[in-house]
Amino acid sequence: MTNKELKQKSIAYRKKILRYIVNAKAGHTGGSLSCIDILNVLYNEVMHVSPENFSSPDRDRYIQSKGHCVEALFVVLADKGFFLEEDLNTLCQYKSHYIGHPTRKVNGVEQNTGALGHGLPIATGTAIAAKLDNKDFKVFTLLGDGEMPEGSNWEAALSAAQYKLDNLCAIVDKNGLQITAATKDVCSTDPLDKKWEAFGWAVKEVDGNDVGALKEVLSSLPFEEGKPSVVIAHTTKGKGISYMENQLKWHHGVPSPEEFNQAMNELDESALLVH
Amino acid sequence: MEEDINTLPHKANLEIYAETLQRLAEKDRGIIAVTSDSRGSGKLVLFGKKFPEQIVEVGIAEQNLVGVAAGLASCGKKVFATSPACFLTARALEQIKNDVAYSNNAVNIVGISAGVSYGALGTTHHSLHDYAVLRAINNMTVVAPADNYETEKAIELAAAIDTPVYLRFGKKQMPYLKEVSKEEIFEFGKGRIITEGNDAVIIACGETVYPALEAALLLKEEQISATVISMHTIKPLDTDLLAKVANKCSVVLTVEEHSIYGGLGEACASYLLENRIYKPFKIVGIPDEYTVTGSQQEIFNHYGISKKGIADEVRKLLSSEYITGK
């Protein structure tokens, strides 16, 4: 896919995220918008995973540690054909499988997540299994910067380095905000790059809302042979919608009809400017 | 036959766990032990030497232990995540709940040195809550084998099934409860009748089954006959067997190396009450207090988890004030 096509894809995904969140009257809007470019590039450019090979032991794995931003995952999986997109009309509704966090009841979801600090340990075990079986699939996990204080992340970071898991890639969606306040004011994990490096990982930083830059970085794995890779993706919470960007209230705010219309108009306008 | 059980060879269940896992691992390269600096206490040192590719060491990091185990299981490995029960089932409870049970990654969670096996090391090292918390987690089988036979069979079964299992082992040498007939089939969720009688039923699990059996033998000398059940699977509970023996006997007693809250005793009590089987009933276990200092046996004796203590409780239950409700 060209960068232009990827950019258009991200805009289309953003529109869908907002549409289904408004329909559900619930969702994690800001974080889904910050990480959607990362999922776009992973599923459309980097990972070898599709509905056709999903039962294959050789498929690449994606585990979304920041499970609350499930809307981003669901719209991408629907787009890839894992299920009918119209199913998302039931998001968060009574008896729907499309609940507010990733669940394996939804085709394409690898692991049930939602509680924070779980993705990296599971991804580490999955990457160890690949090494044991001499398989060359890659394992990706998406972490939020707000979940980095969970100790289980750092336990897993140690193990991944110990086992030289260069088939493992963690991506931190570093949008700088969490539910209470700015991440740096809650429990700062800066300097995050130095911390990962000290734990034995190869680190790259990237503009996490730049699909071209993401494509380049995520296509160069592993960053170092014998080391797990981490991408610190600097993103903007609420990215793409002027009144949502970097605003705490949109952590899980649901747009009003007027706000929704404005958001759609802004996204349509930005689509015209894509080059 | 009952008098001969002590003459049969016996080891700590933990050793049988390690031996069985080695035997299975020789034939099945998919068997993986994950340890948290616990291969020594888990008797897995030899396993690690023989199968270095089949042991994953995460260091002292129980949450990661369970998460890594879930990831391995998601790729088809038959994983035995081994760590002291006290830390494993408390510190990594959320990982057990979400990464293993909720995601249905068929990890076998192996809690070693369980209950008060660590005796005088104190409360931090006792696991008296694990039945309670794991019983409350959907999709989790909870097993406490009593003797070496049950342990070997439990490990074989756990390796074969594709749902999560919690296995609990102590450190004590465990005598065989009875000779095993060729026809006997060990199944999770099916209790074993160790000895039969009509006056009392004593339902126990894990290392407390043996003192229950000793108590039954003592009571037999006083013409009190007791049924002893090894209820090795605490969840799912063998309610058919429970109803059958409770209906047959006058009183019901449960014994466990666990808090009296939320374990085997409460599981049996709630079933009996809900099914209108009203019998004088007593839960023998650790009361709501931090345990006294001592060895496992001293702690057992202190709380009546012993031949004498269990027999005393049976006599009390059979006394007229209990039977008539006065």
Side-chain angles (χ1 to χ4, degrees), chain A residues 10-37:
Chain A
S10 279
I11 291 168
Y13 286 152
R14 286 191 161 84
K15 291 174 76 171
K16 288 175 184 179
I17 287 168
L18 292 169
R19 186 175 303 135
Y20 293 115
I21 283 176
V22 166
N23 188 62
K25 301 184 183 68
H28 286 84
T29 314
S32 290
L33 294 172
S34 73
C35 72
I36 189 62
D37 299 300

Side-chain angles (χ1 to χ4, degrees), chain A residues 82-116:
Chain A
F82 281 96
F83 51 83
L84 292 175
E85 194 185 300
E86 65 195 43
D87 293 353
L88 292 178
N89 286 318
T90 68
L91 182 70
C92 290
Q93 290 177 13
Y94 180 57
K95 288 192 171 177
S96 174
H97 286 171
Y98 301 87
I99 58 174
H101 289 98
T103 159
R104 292 171 84 171
K105 285 186 177 172
V106 173
N107 196 28
V109 173
E110 288 283 357
Q111 296 292 341
N112 296 347
T113 51
L116 296 172

Side-chain angles (χ1 to χ4, degrees), chain A:
Chain A
M1 217 177 273
T2 64
N3 287 353
K4 186 178 175 183
E5 287 167 328
L6 279 172
K7 287 177 191 171
Q8 293 288 10
K9 198 74 147 168
S10 279
I11 291 168
Y13 286 152
R14 286 191 161 84
K15 291 174 76 171
K16 288 175 184 179
I17 287 168
L18 292 169
R19 186 175 303 135
Y20 293 115
I21 283 176
V22 166
N23 188 62
K25 301 184 183 68
H28 286 84
T29 314
S32 290
L33 294 172
S34 73
C35 72
I36 189 62
D37 299 300
I38 299 164
L39 271 82
N40 180 8
V41 171
L42 282 174
Y43 275 90
N44 290 306
E45 288 294 325
V46 177
M47 292 199 302
H48 299 287
V49 63
S50 65
E52 292 71 37
N53 80 349
F54 194 63
S55 58
S56 163
D58 298 319
R59 71 188 183 281
D60 286 337
R61 270 48 165 205
Y62 171 76
I63 298 163
Q64 186 161 310
S65 193
K66 49 175 284 176
H68 51 292
C69 297
V70 70
E71 296 84 11
L73 177 60
F74 282 168
V75 299
V76 174
L77 290 178
D79 182 52
K80 299 302 288 181
F82 281 96
F83 51 83
L84 292 175
E85 194 185 300
E86 65 195 43
D87 293 353
L88 292 178
N89 286 318
T90 68
L91 182 70
C92 290
Q93 290 177 13
Y94 180 57
K95 288 192 171 177
S96 174
H97 286 171
Y98 301 87
I99 58 174
H101 289 98
T103 159
R104 292 171 84 171
K105 285 186 177 172
V106 173
N107 196 28
V109 173
E110 288 283 357
Q111 296 292 341
N112 296 347
T113 51
L116 296 172
H118 288 244
L120 191 57
I122 304 172
T124 298
T126 309
I128 292 173
K131 292 276 184 192
L132 291 173
D133 291 340
N134 293 316
K135 290 190 177 296
D136 58 6
F137 67 82
K138 289 189 174 68
V139 186
F140 296 87
T141 184
L142 180 69
L143 307 162
D145 54 350
E147 71 171 305
M148 289 317 298
E150 289 281 8
S152 48
N153 288 321
W154 301 104
E155 293 180 6
L158 291 168
S159 282
Q162 181 78 30
Y163 278 87
K164 304 184 192 321
L165 299 180
D166 52 12
N167 53 349
L168 172 64
C169 176
I171 303 161
V172 183
D173 178 29
K174 196 171 192 303
N175 61 35
L177 292 179
Q178 58 192 94
I179 195 164
T180 299
T183 299
K184 68 176 171 52
D185 295 329
V186 176
C187 180
S188 176
T189 49
D190 288 333
L192 195 53
D193 57 335
K194 296 279 185 292
K195 288 190 171 71
W196 282 106
E197 271 171 27
F199 275 71
W201 287 56
V203 188
K204 282 194 183 180
E205 303 208 37
V206 68
D207 178 345
N209 293 127
D210 179 342
V211 285
L214 283 165
K215 192 165 97 175
E216 198 178 316
V217 163
L218 291 168
S219 302
S220 62
L221 295 167
F223 302 149
E224 273 183 58
E225 208 169 300
K227 279 189 180 181
S229 305
V230 58
V231 177
I232 299 174
H234 296 272
T235 61
T236 300
K237 202 155 182 173
K239 176 73 180 178
I241 314 300
S242 60
Y243 60 87
M244 287 186 186
E245 290 193 359
N246 289 318
Q247 296 301 308
L248 206 57
K249 69 172 268 200
W250 290 101
H251 178 83
H252 49 29
V254 176
S256 66
E258 296 73 30
E259 287 167 333
F260 175 72
N261 287 336
Q262 184 187 335
M264 289 293 139
N265 288 337
E266 286 187 18
L267 289 167
D268 285 339
E269 282 169 25
S270 59
L272 295 173
L273 300 172
V274 167
H275 57 276

Side-chain angles (χ1 to χ4, degrees), chain B residues 2 7 9 19 30 42 57 117 119 144 214 240 257 276 310:
Chain B
E2 285 158 354
T7 64
E19 288 173 13
E57 176 62 70
S117 297
E214 285 185 308
D240 290 346
E257 189 180 356
R276 301 184 183 192
I310 295 165

Side-chain angles (χ1 to χ4, degrees), chain A residues 128-129 131-133 162-163, chain B residues 21-22 25-26 28-35 39 44-58 72 77:
Chain A
I128 292 173
K131 292 276 184 192
L132 291 173
D133 291 340
Q162 181 78 30
Y163 278 87
Chain B
L21 206 60
Q22 269 183 54
E26 271 168 21
D28 185 348
R29 297 291 161 187
I31 299 267
I32 307 282
V34 190
T35 54
R39 74 182 74 190
L44 293 169
V45 173
L46 189 59
F47 181 99
K49 281 184 183 155
K50 285 176 94 169
F51 313 107
E53 295 282 301
Q54 287 169 258
I55 190 161
V56 172
E57 176 62 70
V58 299
L72 285 160
K77 303 296 180 192

